[in-house]
Amino acid sequence: MAIYHLSVKSISRSAGRSVVAAAAYRAGQELTDERQGLTHDYTRKQGVEDAFIVVPDGADWAQDRNALWNAAETAEKRKDAKTGREYELALPAELDAGARKELARDFAHELVERYGVVADVAIHEPGREGDNRNYHAHILTTTRTAGEDGLGAKTRILDVASTASAEIEHMRGVWARQVNMALERHQVEQRVDHRSFERQGKELEPTRHMGVSATAMERQAAREIPGRDPVTDLGKQNAEIRERNRVLETARKAMEKASALFSGLEKRARLAVGLARKLGERMEQQREAERQRQERVRQAEIRREMQRQAEQRAADEARKAAELARQKQAAKEIDRPTVRRSRDRGPSIGL
């Protein structure tokens, strides 16, 4: 699973540190600190996957790592000066080496463009002990802007308390977006978030920072007895925190699964209700259509019966009229006078 990590540290003389030595160690090279007259040889260091420098336009001279970091030392006069700034990044193990390099270069370009500094990038493989997914990058930047003629003004925005926190939070957000974009480009489902669990609204508990000493003790114990329980207090606390988080995460996933199942059942129920409603409406429409059809048949039968009755009445009236006419004719014939003529034309004389 892709993890998020970005930390910002300063390389300061007040802590007895040399930025030349820091650059040599991270890049796995041999560099000479001209101010102190010391050579730092880390050419035998293993685990350096790649190292390269990103410079602002016109500052090609800074591609020489030895010249760059000696210039950074020379530019500072104070004994407590900050001579470099380091960004430590966790690179997604889900990406291949080329994609990890591209991702680290993108973030280095962002630093160079935003602050005008030089960024020296070293990509490290996971150590022999510990998490074998721990690909990470160290980006060492100058604390001054860089140009054609060398290093210039100090970048105070990351040194002043009133602006440093906001700037670092901004860059943490930038790194999260770049990581997620890279994961999306390479079709990896996981995503990272630079916000704390609390800001994300999660109930998970953050683990405690182990530090160099505790980490070394845990690694030594793991070499002696592989798979043993943590031996330091911080290691034990982190193991307990991880176990609590595991339980919480398992419960959360179970709740999400149950919620998804319930949501699916609820959706199916809504679909079933909708289908039943549609079937009911369709049946009602069919019943209504049948009622209308039967009503039309009934009305047609009524009309036919009325027509039959009308025709019967007409026939009866015609018969009555005919009978009446016949009777009238018969009556006329009865009432007509009858005149009989004698066959003898002479008068009849009675004796």
Side-chain angles (χ1 to χ4, degrees), residues 5 15 18 22 26 89 98 127 185 337 345:
H5 175 72
S18 162
R26 283 151 184 74
L89 315 170
R185 281 196 304 271
R345 294 192 181 187

PDB file of all heavy atoms in Angstrom, residues 5 15 18 22 26 89 98 127 185 337 345:
ATOM      1  N   HIS A   5       4.989  10.204   3.062  1.00  0.00           N
ATOM      2  CA  HIS A   5       5.986  10.748   3.982  1.00  0.00           C
ATOM      3  C   HIS A   5       6.716  11.893   3.309  1.00  0.00           C
ATOM      4  O   HIS A   5       7.187  11.777   2.180  1.00  0.00           O
ATOM      5  CB  HIS A   5       7.004   9.690   4.402  1.00  0.00           C
ATOM      6  CG  HIS A   5       8.116  10.248   5.250  1.00  0.00           C
ATOM      7  ND1 HIS A   5       7.925  10.633   6.561  1.00  0.00           N
ATOM      8  CD2 HIS A   5       9.425  10.515   4.953  1.00  0.00           C
ATOM      9  CE1 HIS A   5       9.068  11.104   7.051  1.00  0.00           C
ATOM     10  NE2 HIS A   5       9.986  11.052   6.103  1.00  0.00           N
ATOM     11  N   ALA A  15      24.846  22.532  14.519  1.00  0.00           N
ATOM     12  CA  ALA A  15      24.786  21.122  14.906  1.00  0.00           C
ATOM     13  C   ALA A  15      26.060  20.385  14.512  1.00  0.00           C
ATOM     14  O   ALA A  15      26.120  19.156  14.609  1.00  0.00           O
ATOM     15  CB  ALA A  15      23.577  20.461  14.262  1.00  0.00           C
ATOM     16  N   SER A  18      28.103  19.472   8.016  1.00  0.00           N
ATOM     17  CA  SER A  18      28.618  20.050   6.780  1.00  0.00           C
ATOM     18  C   SER A  18      27.700  19.640   5.636  1.00  0.00           C
ATOM     19  O   SER A  18      27.393  18.451   5.464  1.00  0.00           O
ATOM     20  CB  SER A  18      30.038  19.540   6.498  1.00  0.00           C
ATOM     21  OG  SER A  18      30.392  19.758   5.138  1.00  0.00           O
ATOM     22  N   ALA A  22      26.973  15.970   3.820  1.00  0.00           N
ATOM     23  CA  ALA A  22      25.612  15.468   3.646  1.00  0.00           C
ATOM     24  C   ALA A  22      25.348  15.100   2.189  1.00  0.00           C
ATOM     25  O   ALA A  22      24.753  14.053   1.890  1.00  0.00           O
ATOM     26  CB  ALA A  22      24.610  16.514   4.121  1.00  0.00           C
ATOM     27  N   ARG A  26      24.537  11.246   0.704  1.00  0.00           N
ATOM     28  CA  ARG A  26      23.279  10.949   0.032  1.00  0.00           C
ATOM     29  C   ARG A  26      23.482  10.508  -1.409  1.00  0.00           C
ATOM     30  O   ARG A  26      22.778   9.639  -1.908  1.00  0.00           O
ATOM     31  CB  ARG A  26      22.353  12.163   0.118  1.00  0.00           C
ATOM     32  CG  ARG A  26      21.716  12.279   1.509  1.00  0.00           C
ATOM     33  CD  ARG A  26      21.389  13.707   1.882  1.00  0.00           C
ATOM     34  NE  ARG A  26      20.862  13.775   3.258  1.00  0.00           N
ATOM     35  CZ  ARG A  26      21.599  13.644   4.357  1.00  0.00           C
ATOM     36  NH1 ARG A  26      22.914  13.427   4.247  1.00  0.00           N
ATOM     37  NH2 ARG A  26      21.062  13.716   5.559  1.00  0.00           N
ATOM     38  N   LEU A  89      11.536  12.122   1.166  1.00  0.00           N
ATOM     39  CA  LEU A  89      10.277  11.701   0.569  1.00  0.00           C
ATOM     40  C   LEU A  89      10.179  10.185   0.508  1.00  0.00           C
ATOM     41  O   LEU A  89      11.161   9.510   0.172  1.00  0.00           O
ATOM     42  CB  LEU A  89      10.145  12.240  -0.870  1.00  0.00           C
ATOM     43  CG  LEU A  89      10.521  13.697  -1.123  1.00  0.00           C
ATOM     44  CD1 LEU A  89      10.558  13.958  -2.612  1.00  0.00           C
ATOM     45  CD2 LEU A  89       9.512  14.613  -0.449  1.00  0.00           C
ATOM     46  N   GLY A  98      12.029   3.833 -13.030  1.00  0.00           N
ATOM     47  CA  GLY A  98      11.893   5.000 -13.906  1.00  0.00           C
ATOM     48  C   GLY A  98      10.810   5.942 -13.437  1.00  0.00           C
ATOM     49  O   GLY A  98      10.980   7.165 -13.450  1.00  0.00           O
ATOM     50  N   GLY A 127      16.664  -0.435   2.793  1.00  0.00           N
ATOM     51  CA  GLY A 127      17.809  -1.035   3.475  1.00  0.00           C
ATOM     52  C   GLY A 127      17.668  -2.540   3.577  1.00  0.00           C
ATOM     53  O   GLY A 127      16.585  -3.100   3.370  1.00  0.00           O
ATOM     54  N   ARG A 185      -1.537   7.588 -13.165  1.00  0.00           N
ATOM     55  CA  ARG A 185      -0.959   7.354 -14.501  1.00  0.00           C
ATOM     56  C   ARG A 185      -0.562   5.896 -14.687  1.00  0.00           C
ATOM     57  O   ARG A 185      -0.676   5.353 -15.784  1.00  0.00           O
ATOM     58  CB  ARG A 185       0.268   8.244 -14.715  1.00  0.00           C
ATOM     59  CG  ARG A 185      -0.037   9.670 -15.070  1.00  0.00           C
ATOM     60  CD  ARG A 185       1.189  10.360 -15.650  1.00  0.00           C
ATOM     61  NE  ARG A 185       2.334  10.316 -14.768  1.00  0.00           N
ATOM     62  CZ  ARG A 185       2.605  11.221 -13.844  1.00  0.00           C
ATOM     63  NH1 ARG A 185       1.783  12.257 -13.670  1.00  0.00           N
ATOM     64  NH2 ARG A 185       3.684  11.114 -13.079  1.00  0.00           N
ATOM     65  N   PRO A 337    -124.631   2.239 -52.020  1.00  0.00           N
ATOM     66  CA  PRO A 337    -125.970   1.728 -52.393  1.00  0.00           C
ATOM     67  C   PRO A 337    -125.891   0.802 -53.597  1.00  0.00           C
ATOM     68  O   PRO A 337    -125.101   1.033 -54.504  1.00  0.00           O
ATOM     69  CB  PRO A 337    -126.779   2.974 -52.716  1.00  0.00           C
ATOM     70  CG  PRO A 337    -125.747   4.022 -53.033  1.00  0.00           C
ATOM     71  CD  PRO A 337    -124.551   3.687 -52.233  1.00  0.00           C
ATOM     72  N   ARG A 345    -137.426  -4.575 -70.316  1.00  0.00           N
ATOM     73  CA  ARG A 345    -137.405  -3.124 -70.400  1.00  0.00           C
ATOM     74  C   ARG A 345    -138.806  -2.528 -70.190  1.00  0.00           C
ATOM     75  O   ARG A 345    -138.934  -1.353 -69.862  1.00  0.00           O
ATOM     76  CB  ARG A 345    -136.856  -2.690 -71.736  1.00  0.00           C
ATOM     77  CG  ARG A 345    -135.345  -3.097 -71.841  1.00  0.00           C
ATOM     78  CD  ARG A 345    -134.847  -2.401 -73.005  1.00  0.00           C
ATOM     79  NE  ARG A 345    -133.416  -2.759 -73.168  1.00  0.00           N
ATOM     80  CZ  ARG A 345    -132.578  -2.235 -74.028  1.00  0.00           C
ATOM     81  NH1 ARG A 345    -133.088  -1.325 -74.867  1.00  0.00           N
ATOM     82  NH2 ARG A 345    -131.351  -2.611 -74.100  1.00  0.00           N
TER      83      ARG A 345
END
